[in-house]
Amino acid sequence: MSVDLAMEPAATVVAGACHHCGEALPAHPCLQEVDGRVRAFCCHGCAAAAEWIGRAELGGYYRLRSAGSGRVGDDLPDLSVWDRSDVQAEHSREIAGGREITLLTDGMRCAACAWLIDRAMAREPGVTDCTANAVTGRIRIAWDPARTALSAPLRRLAMLGYRPYLAGSEALERERVRERRRWLLRLGVAGLGMLQAMMLAEALYLDFHDTMPVATRDFFRWLTFLLCTPVVFYSGWPFIAGALRELRERRLGMDVLVAGSTLLAYFASLFETIRGGPHVWYDAAVMFVFLLLAARMLEQRARSVASAQVDALARARPAFATRECGDGNRETVPLAALQPGDVACVAAGEAVPADGVLVDAEAWFEEALLTGESAPVRKHEGDEVYAGTVCRERPARLRVTCTGAATRISQLARLVEQAQAHRPALARVADRLAGRFVLFLLPVTLAVFAWWWQHDPARALEVTLALLVISCPCALSLAVPAALAAAHGGLARIGLLALRPDALDTLGRATDIVFDKTGTLSDGRPVVAASEFFDLDGDGALRIASALERDSGHPLAVAFAGRDGLPPPATQVETVPGRGVQGVVEGRRWRLGRADFAAGREDDGALWLGDGSRAFARFVLEERARADAVGALQELRGLGLRLHLASGDGQAAVRRMSSALALDDVHARQSPEDKLALVRRLQAQGKVVAMVGDGLNDAPVLAGADVSIAMGDGASLAHRAADMVTTGSSLQRIPEAITLARRTRRIIHQNLAWAAGYNLLALPLAAAGMVTPWIAALGMAMSSLAVTLNALRLARAVPAARGTDVAGTLPVEVAR
């Protein structure tokens, strides 16, 4: 029963938030009686959802929940596209009695939501099974296509506030879940076996005076053998398989030693059990497997943190898009059906399906996944909008320019995957050291066994086993990969992607940073502050300048964008690095750039339009420093870095930027060759140089620096030449990344020092017979756990100190 606000006393209205979704109430909320009380709702959709929940006798949901559901809204989405055969063939699978599909929803916020979904779907005709997971936000629905269309239960979900989305890479996700469950099962079997084996071993160890009857002792040993077998051959199979792979590849690695030590302890114990020998070492074998499995799972956790960015990027794009037809009607189509030139419609709160340009006058988009900035960004007509960003406040329309693998979000996903696949030189060195240590350890082990066989044959096997176990270079092999995996996860959260294998290590050693100015320290949005025209009207000069700059890719092109009317087409456009741009407009060759290049005059820092010998217009441009430039540079100075500015602009503009940002060393009128020469001079002085730039003419120096960072909104050529790319425009990422890189180097050095020190200490102790096999297993595994846990400290987010100072408007003196 819906009631009008004016008819109800104010005391009956729950002020502040919608009873169903928890969002703020409008000025005139919709009222609905629920459980005998009048409740306020933000929209008719939420009121209808509450009414259905009451009729279905599921009112317990409101008592159980700890958070509101998703907002329903007055207009439900068109879900008929889910009934298409091509969609179901790609995203669902056939099961006994029908089909099954796994969906995502962003409205499931607590266990009560999962409870409501399960029971609501159970009441839908044709739905045979449903499982909702509040932790992952996934819903698995099994239905009978002969009894109901898939859109019917999905419409019920949407009506309750849980809009369905396709779960991307479903096959990959299922395999990942299966793999995680296999590892957990292996760990559980190993843990249970270890506890039971240690309990039985304790009874054997406490028999100091050999008073235990032989039959009882043998019974305990055979029972321990039965407990140990699944641990060694099921839980320990990853190590055995790894050892077989290493032997096939004719190399000695950590898995050879782990598997060899485990199998030696197992079969030696079996031999002693059969012959009734004095000692068995089943407990060492199971402890070895359990603790190493735990260390490896912790390393995998660090890697999963690094890969979470790829998963988030992959899930960001919707599976369907709303396309505007030529007659003004709209249709819902699979994402693959979108083509460049189509007009896509995006509702408020939905993700953008493809890259494009905004058709409407204004809209707001949240770009947190791409740039790390949580605040929505205001876009105007003609601005670029990227796939995976979320439309806020109001619906928007965009004209599609890129789809599928060509979108920016797909390119970022590939960059992250490439960064994770890299194996830096430091990791390769650690692998070689571990391999050589194994090669060194084998003859040492034989020598120790021979010595003990001569002096105390009863302890020869025990001492040899302890030596093999305690000296396993697991910690050495894990020292670098675990730290790098955690560090890449931290980089992804900061918003920086490493594209070269050794970029992170080199960034941590950087002593000097060279910045470009336009588009790097400045905001990249210069404006025309003053202009003069000679023998050419102002509109004509601006149209020619706009035509030359339109496709140049230089940050200064923004100053001439958005002029009334389309500029005439420009042909034979060529960028002359450090000087300007030239091309043919309306049958005449024009130049735009420095005075000596464009007009044959002495350079004065302004931007000139001419034919190479004659001037037709002079433009004075102004630009602003990035909002966070002052704070970011202060942090870099606090890290002990020397800051340089190398710009193609004139002396006056560079000095103004330098004084505003307090830079240590400035160089004006720098061509690409001059910038590269500056970097070479610094390198010749023993400096480790980092270069930060974004333009076409920055590509040579980005490639020549020890480590280079390209701003995410810069030219693609700069990205290809750089070692790292930011996912947004904030300079704050740079000091955060350097701090993380230095922490990574410290932790890697700590891990390597610990691993080396442990092996140097443990090897002579074990060779001297001072360590039993189970203590050796405990020591080795704890060493591996120590380096892994130390590396996981990098997974914590680097604290951000966002700069709030904004430099004033600065005149620009321009060069390419």
Tab-separated table of all heavy atoms in Angstrom, residues 506-507 509-514 642 644 665 667 672-692 699-708 721 723:
chain	number	residue	atom	x	y	z
A	506	THR	N	65.857	-0.190	-10.447
A	506	THR	CA	66.577	1.019	-10.855
A	506	THR	C	65.939	2.262	-10.250
A	506	THR	O	66.640	3.194	-9.833
A	506	THR	CB	66.607	1.132	-12.388
A	506	THR	OG1	67.062	-0.099	-12.950
A	506	THR	CG2	67.526	2.259	-12.831
A	507	LEU	N	64.611	2.298	-10.187
A	507	LEU	CA	63.930	3.449	-9.588
A	507	LEU	C	64.328	3.606	-8.120
A	507	LEU	O	64.486	4.727	-7.633
A	507	LEU	CB	62.416	3.274	-9.713
A	507	LEU	CG	61.561	4.448	-9.229
A	507	LEU	CD1	61.808	5.679	-10.095
A	507	LEU	CD2	60.080	4.081	-9.248
A	509	ARG	N	67.166	3.059	-6.916
A	509	ARG	CA	68.547	3.557	-6.838
A	509	ARG	C	68.702	4.952	-7.422
A	509	ARG	O	69.809	5.500	-7.466
A	509	ARG	CB	69.488	2.600	-7.577
A	509	ARG	CG	69.573	1.223	-6.938
A	509	ARG	CD	70.615	0.334	-7.610
A	509	ARG	NE	70.202	-0.111	-8.940
A	509	ARG	CZ	70.717	0.305	-10.066
A	509	ARG	NH1	71.686	1.222	-10.070
A	509	ARG	NH2	70.287	-0.167	-11.228
A	510	ALA	N	67.612	5.557	-7.907
A	510	ALA	CA	67.689	6.855	-8.588
A	510	ALA	C	68.208	7.938	-7.648
A	510	ALA	O	67.850	7.994	-6.471
A	510	ALA	CB	66.319	7.238	-9.133
A	511	THR	N	69.072	8.792	-8.199
A	511	THR	CA	69.618	9.926	-7.446
A	511	THR	C	69.137	11.265	-8.000
A	511	THR	O	69.090	12.250	-7.267
A	511	THR	CB	71.154	9.912	-7.483
A	511	THR	OG1	71.590	9.979	-8.853
A	511	THR	CG2	71.700	8.635	-6.848
A	512	ASP	N	68.806	11.306	-9.285
A	512	ASP	CA	68.376	12.544	-9.950
A	512	ASP	C	67.131	12.258	-10.771
A	512	ASP	O	66.991	11.166	-11.356
A	512	ASP	CB	69.477	13.073	-10.868
A	512	ASP	CG	70.696	13.569	-10.102
A	512	ASP	OD1	71.373	12.750	-9.445
A	512	ASP	OD2	70.961	14.780	-10.167
A	513	ILE	N	66.226	13.240	-10.848
A	513	ILE	CA	65.041	13.124	-11.694
A	513	ILE	C	64.998	14.322	-12.632
A	513	ILE	O	65.106	15.481	-12.189
A	513	ILE	CB	63.738	13.065	-10.875
A	513	ILE	CG1	63.734	11.857	-9.952
A	513	ILE	CG2	62.528	12.998	-11.794
A	513	ILE	CD1	62.440	11.657	-9.202
A	514	VAL	N	64.865	14.055	-13.912
A	514	VAL	CA	64.739	15.091	-14.938
A	514	VAL	C	63.277	15.135	-15.370
A	514	VAL	O	62.711	14.116	-15.781
A	514	VAL	CB	65.649	14.808	-16.140
A	514	VAL	CG1	65.465	15.880	-17.207
A	514	VAL	CG2	67.110	14.729	-15.701
A	642	ARG	N	67.787	14.982	-6.434
A	642	ARG	CA	68.038	16.271	-7.066
A	642	ARG	C	67.129	16.385	-8.282
A	642	ARG	O	67.067	15.458	-9.108
A	642	ARG	CB	69.510	16.392	-7.458
A	642	ARG	CG	69.881	17.732	-8.080
A	642	ARG	CD	71.383	17.872	-8.250
A	642	ARG	NE	71.741	19.050	-9.012
A	642	ARG	CZ	71.783	20.287	-8.527
A	642	ARG	NH1	71.492	20.482	-7.254
A	642	ARG	NH2	72.128	21.312	-9.277
A	644	HIS	N	65.691	18.213	-11.760
A	644	HIS	CA	66.100	18.983	-12.934
A	644	HIS	C	64.884	19.219	-13.819
A	644	HIS	O	63.991	18.370	-13.907
A	644	HIS	CB	67.160	18.231	-13.735
A	644	HIS	CG	68.329	17.766	-12.927
A	644	HIS	ND1	69.523	18.447	-12.877
A	644	HIS	CD2	68.494	16.674	-12.141
A	644	HIS	CE1	70.373	17.798	-12.095
A	644	HIS	NE2	69.762	16.713	-11.636
A	665	ASP	N	67.691	22.676	-10.794
A	665	ASP	CA	68.504	22.885	-11.992
A	665	ASP	C	67.560	22.980	-13.187
A	665	ASP	O	66.700	22.106	-13.362
A	665	ASP	CB	69.467	21.707	-12.159
A	665	ASP	CG	70.349	21.852	-13.387
A	665	ASP	OD1	70.781	22.980	-13.668
A	665	ASP	OD2	70.579	20.831	-14.058
A	667	HIS	N	66.891	23.929	-17.472
A	667	HIS	CA	67.475	24.057	-18.806
A	667	HIS	C	66.347	24.382	-19.775
A	667	HIS	O	65.381	23.621	-19.889
A	667	HIS	CB	68.164	22.753	-19.217
A	667	HIS	CG	69.244	22.321	-18.273
A	667	HIS	ND1	70.565	22.667	-18.446
A	667	HIS	CD2	69.201	21.599	-17.130
A	667	HIS	CE1	71.286	22.162	-17.467
A	667	HIS	NE2	70.481	21.507	-16.648
A	672	PRO	N	65.263	17.485	-28.233
A	672	PRO	CA	65.400	16.106	-27.738
A	672	PRO	C	66.855	15.680	-27.577
A	672	PRO	O	67.200	14.986	-26.615
A	672	PRO	CB	64.685	15.282	-28.811
A	672	PRO	CG	63.683	16.209	-29.399
A	672	PRO	CD	64.332	17.566	-29.367
A	673	GLU	N	67.721	16.123	-28.497
A	673	GLU	CA	69.141	15.771	-28.391
A	673	GLU	C	69.782	16.438	-27.173
A	673	GLU	O	70.626	15.839	-26.495
A	673	GLU	CB	69.880	16.193	-29.657
A	673	GLU	CG	69.479	15.427	-30.907
A	673	GLU	CD	68.153	15.895	-31.493
A	673	GLU	OE1	67.657	16.968	-31.077
A	673	GLU	OE2	67.606	15.179	-32.356
A	674	ASP	N	69.352	17.689	-26.872
A	674	ASP	CA	69.890	18.388	-25.699
A	674	ASP	C	69.469	17.688	-24.412
A	674	ASP	O	70.263	17.561	-23.461
A	674	ASP	CB	69.406	19.837	-25.680
A	674	ASP	CG	69.953	20.649	-26.845
A	674	ASP	OD1	71.055	20.305	-27.322
A	674	ASP	OD2	69.276	21.588	-27.282
A	675	LYS	N	68.212	17.261	-24.347
A	675	LYS	CA	67.729	16.553	-23.146
A	675	LYS	C	68.504	15.257	-22.933
A	675	LYS	O	68.899	14.919	-21.812
A	675	LYS	CB	66.233	16.255	-23.282
A	675	LYS	CG	65.340	17.486	-23.290
A	675	LYS	CD	63.873	17.075	-23.437
A	675	LYS	CE	62.966	18.286	-23.495
A	675	LYS	NZ	61.528	17.916	-23.640
A	676	LEU	N	68.727	14.545	-24.031
A	676	LEU	CA	69.473	13.284	-23.926
A	676	LEU	C	70.910	13.550	-23.492
A	676	LEU	O	71.484	12.806	-22.687
A	676	LEU	CB	69.438	12.550	-25.263
A	676	LEU	CG	70.083	11.167	-25.296
A	676	LEU	CD1	69.432	10.243	-24.266
A	676	LEU	CD2	69.969	10.560	-26.689
A	677	ALA	N	71.507	14.641	-24.013
A	677	ALA	CA	72.878	14.993	-23.619
A	677	ALA	C	72.946	15.333	-22.133
A	677	ALA	O	73.917	14.989	-21.449
A	677	ALA	CB	73.377	16.168	-24.458
A	678	LEU	N	71.920	16.013	-21.605
A	678	LEU	CA	71.869	16.320	-20.173
A	678	LEU	C	71.861	15.035	-19.348
A	678	LEU	O	72.602	14.912	-18.355
A	678	LEU	CB	70.630	17.159	-19.864
A	678	LEU	CG	70.298	17.361	-18.374
A	678	LEU	CD1	71.407	18.139	-17.676
A	678	LEU	CD2	68.947	18.076	-18.217
A	679	VAL	N	71.046	14.083	-19.763
A	679	VAL	CA	70.982	12.807	-19.049
A	679	VAL	C	72.338	12.100	-19.112
A	679	VAL	O	72.822	11.548	-18.105
A	679	VAL	CB	69.866	11.922	-19.632
A	679	VAL	CG1	69.963	10.492	-19.107
A	679	VAL	CG2	68.502	12.513	-19.306
A	680	ARG	N	72.984	12.126	-20.291
A	680	ARG	CA	74.283	11.472	-20.434
A	680	ARG	C	75.335	12.128	-19.532
A	680	ARG	O	76.186	11.441	-18.950
A	680	ARG	CB	74.736	11.526	-21.897
A	680	ARG	CG	73.856	10.748	-22.860
A	680	ARG	CD	74.066	9.265	-22.697
A	680	ARG	NE	73.365	8.506	-23.717
A	680	ARG	CZ	72.455	7.582	-23.491
A	680	ARG	NH1	72.112	7.299	-22.237
A	680	ARG	NH2	71.883	6.928	-24.468
A	681	ARG	N	75.294	13.453	-19.390
A	681	ARG	CA	76.262	14.139	-18.524
A	681	ARG	C	76.064	13.718	-17.070
A	681	ARG	O	77.030	13.478	-16.342
A	681	ARG	CB	76.108	15.663	-18.656
A	681	ARG	CG	76.629	16.245	-19.951
A	681	ARG	CD	76.846	17.754	-19.839
A	681	ARG	NE	75.614	18.464	-19.485
A	681	ARG	CZ	74.720	18.893	-20.375
A	681	ARG	NH1	74.914	18.677	-21.685
A	681	ARG	NH2	73.650	19.536	-19.989
A	682	LEU	N	74.822	13.639	-16.640
A	682	LEU	CA	74.541	13.222	-15.269
A	682	LEU	C	74.997	11.786	-15.042
A	682	LEU	O	75.566	11.454	-13.997
A	682	LEU	CB	73.050	13.364	-14.973
A	682	LEU	CG	72.506	14.790	-14.911
A	682	LEU	CD1	70.976	14.778	-14.808
A	682	LEU	CD2	73.091	15.541	-13.721
A	683	GLN	N	74.747	10.924	-16.032
A	683	GLN	CA	75.173	9.521	-15.905
A	683	GLN	C	76.693	9.413	-15.858
A	683	GLN	O	77.233	8.569	-15.140
A	683	GLN	CB	74.602	8.704	-17.071
A	683	GLN	CG	73.090	8.509	-17.005
A	683	GLN	CD	72.519	7.898	-18.262
A	683	GLN	OE1	73.084	8.039	-19.360
A	683	GLN	NE2	71.382	7.231	-18.141
A	684	ALA	N	77.377	10.282	-16.604
A	684	ALA	CA	78.845	10.259	-16.589
A	684	ALA	C	79.403	10.658	-15.227
A	684	ALA	O	80.530	10.302	-14.878
A	684	ALA	CB	79.388	11.202	-17.670
A	685	GLN	N	78.621	11.407	-14.440
A	685	GLN	CA	79.025	11.796	-13.087
A	685	GLN	C	78.687	10.718	-12.057
A	685	GLN	O	78.853	10.930	-10.855
A	685	GLN	CB	78.327	13.102	-12.702
A	685	GLN	CG	78.696	14.284	-13.589
A	685	GLN	CD	77.796	15.502	-13.330
A	685	GLN	OE1	77.111	15.578	-12.318
A	685	GLN	NE2	77.806	16.439	-14.265
A	686	GLY	N	78.196	9.579	-12.526
A	686	GLY	CA	77.858	8.493	-11.617
A	686	GLY	C	76.453	8.551	-11.071
A	686	GLY	O	76.114	7.799	-10.143
A	687	LYS	N	75.621	9.435	-11.631
A	687	LYS	CA	74.246	9.559	-11.159
A	687	LYS	C	73.367	8.485	-11.800
A	687	LYS	O	73.614	8.053	-12.927
A	687	LYS	CB	73.678	10.939	-11.503
A	687	LYS	CG	74.550	12.112	-11.059
A	687	LYS	CD	74.601	12.233	-9.551
A	687	LYS	CE	75.333	13.501	-9.123
A	687	LYS	NZ	75.423	13.615	-7.647
A	688	VAL	N	72.335	8.070	-11.054
A	688	VAL	CA	71.297	7.195	-11.606
A	688	VAL	C	70.106	8.097	-11.912
A	688	VAL	O	69.506	8.669	-11.012
A	688	VAL	CB	70.906	6.084	-10.618
A	688	VAL	CG1	69.792	5.221	-11.209
A	688	VAL	CG2	72.113	5.228	-10.268
A	689	VAL	N	69.786	8.236	-13.199
A	689	VAL	CA	68.860	9.280	-13.655
A	689	VAL	C	67.501	8.677	-13.994
A	689	VAL	O	67.403	7.714	-14.763
A	689	VAL	CB	69.428	10.017	-14.885
A	689	VAL	CG1	68.483	11.136	-15.318
A	689	VAL	CG2	70.810	10.565	-14.578
A	690	ALA	N	66.458	9.276	-13.419
A	690	ALA	CA	65.080	8.958	-13.787
A	690	ALA	C	64.533	10.120	-14.601
A	690	ALA	O	64.768	11.278	-14.265
A	690	ALA	CB	64.227	8.724	-12.551
A	691	MET	N	63.818	9.814	-15.678
A	691	MET	CA	63.238	10.841	-16.539
A	691	MET	C	61.724	10.721	-16.486
A	691	MET	O	61.177	9.616	-16.571
A	691	MET	CB	63.727	10.655	-17.984
A	691	MET	CG	63.042	11.564	-18.993
A	691	MET	SD	63.510	13.311	-18.785
A	691	MET	CE	62.266	14.129	-19.789
A	692	VAL	N	61.044	11.864	-16.337
A	692	VAL	CA	59.584	11.882	-16.322
A	692	VAL	C	59.122	12.801	-17.447
A	692	VAL	O	59.468	13.981	-17.472
A	692	VAL	CB	59.032	12.383	-14.974
A	692	VAL	CG1	57.505	12.309	-14.964
A	692	VAL	CG2	59.607	11.574	-13.829
A	699	ALA	N	60.452	10.879	-26.152
A	699	ALA	CA	60.732	9.456	-26.350
A	699	ALA	C	62.225	9.140	-26.347
A	699	ALA	O	62.650	8.175	-25.697
A	699	ALA	CB	60.080	8.962	-27.645
A	700	PRO	N	63.108	9.917	-27.032
A	700	PRO	CA	64.536	9.563	-27.008
A	700	PRO	C	65.152	9.606	-25.617
A	700	PRO	O	65.912	8.718	-25.239
A	700	PRO	CB	65.169	10.612	-27.940
A	700	PRO	CG	64.061	11.070	-28.814
A	700	PRO	CD	62.847	11.031	-27.962
A	701	VAL	N	64.839	10.645	-24.845
A	701	VAL	CA	65.444	10.752	-23.520
A	701	VAL	C	64.824	9.751	-22.555
A	701	VAL	O	65.482	9.264	-21.636
A	701	VAL	CB	65.327	12.205	-22.999
A	701	VAL	CG1	63.892	12.594	-22.709
A	701	VAL	CG2	66.195	12.388	-21.759
A	702	LEU	N	63.549	9.406	-22.747
A	702	LEU	CA	62.941	8.360	-21.921
A	702	LEU	C	63.668	7.036	-22.128
A	702	LEU	O	63.893	6.272	-21.193
A	702	LEU	CB	61.454	8.205	-22.253
A	702	LEU	CG	60.515	9.318	-21.758
A	702	LEU	CD1	59.125	9.138	-22.344
A	702	LEU	CD2	60.432	9.341	-20.242
A	703	ALA	N	64.024	6.771	-23.381
A	703	ALA	CA	64.746	5.534	-23.678
A	703	ALA	C	66.182	5.573	-23.179
A	703	ALA	O	66.756	4.539	-22.825
A	703	ALA	CB	64.726	5.274	-25.185
A	704	GLY	N	66.792	6.777	-23.106
A	704	GLY	CA	68.194	6.882	-22.724
A	704	GLY	C	68.438	6.969	-21.234
A	704	GLY	O	69.553	6.714	-20.781
A	705	ALA	N	67.402	7.327	-20.438
A	705	ALA	CA	67.579	7.433	-18.987
A	705	ALA	C	67.726	6.047	-18.371
A	705	ALA	O	67.361	5.033	-18.968
A	705	ALA	CB	66.388	8.175	-18.382
A	706	ASP	N	68.271	6.007	-17.144
A	706	ASP	CA	68.396	4.723	-16.442
A	706	ASP	C	67.031	4.110	-16.182
A	706	ASP	O	66.857	2.893	-16.279
A	706	ASP	CB	69.147	4.931	-15.120
A	706	ASP	CG	70.589	5.352	-15.343
A	706	ASP	OD1	71.363	4.533	-15.870
A	706	ASP	OD2	70.936	6.492	-15.009
A	707	VAL	N	66.076	4.949	-15.811
A	707	VAL	CA	64.692	4.503	-15.640
A	707	VAL	C	63.808	5.685	-16.025
A	707	VAL	O	64.163	6.840	-15.780
A	707	VAL	CB	64.420	4.046	-14.187
A	707	VAL	CG1	64.610	5.172	-13.196
A	707	VAL	CG2	63.025	3.454	-14.054
A	708	SER	N	62.694	5.412	-16.665
A	708	SER	CA	61.857	6.498	-17.172
A	708	SER	C	60.398	6.228	-16.859
A	708	SER	O	59.950	5.077	-16.792
A	708	SER	CB	62.045	6.661	-18.685
A	708	SER	OG	61.839	5.422	-19.346
A	721	ALA	N	58.492	3.994	-25.141
A	721	ALA	CA	59.900	4.201	-24.810
A	721	ALA	C	60.163	4.139	-23.314
A	721	ALA	O	61.299	4.014	-22.899
A	721	ALA	CB	60.367	5.570	-25.345
A	723	ASP	N	59.990	3.003	-19.159
A	723	ASP	CA	60.079	1.802	-18.330
A	723	ASP	C	58.844	1.641	-17.459
A	723	ASP	O	58.506	0.537	-17.044
A	723	ASP	CB	61.315	1.875	-17.430
A	723	ASP	CG	62.596	1.980	-18.228
A	723	ASP	OD1	62.749	1.210	-19.192
A	723	ASP	OD2	63.433	2.838	-17.910
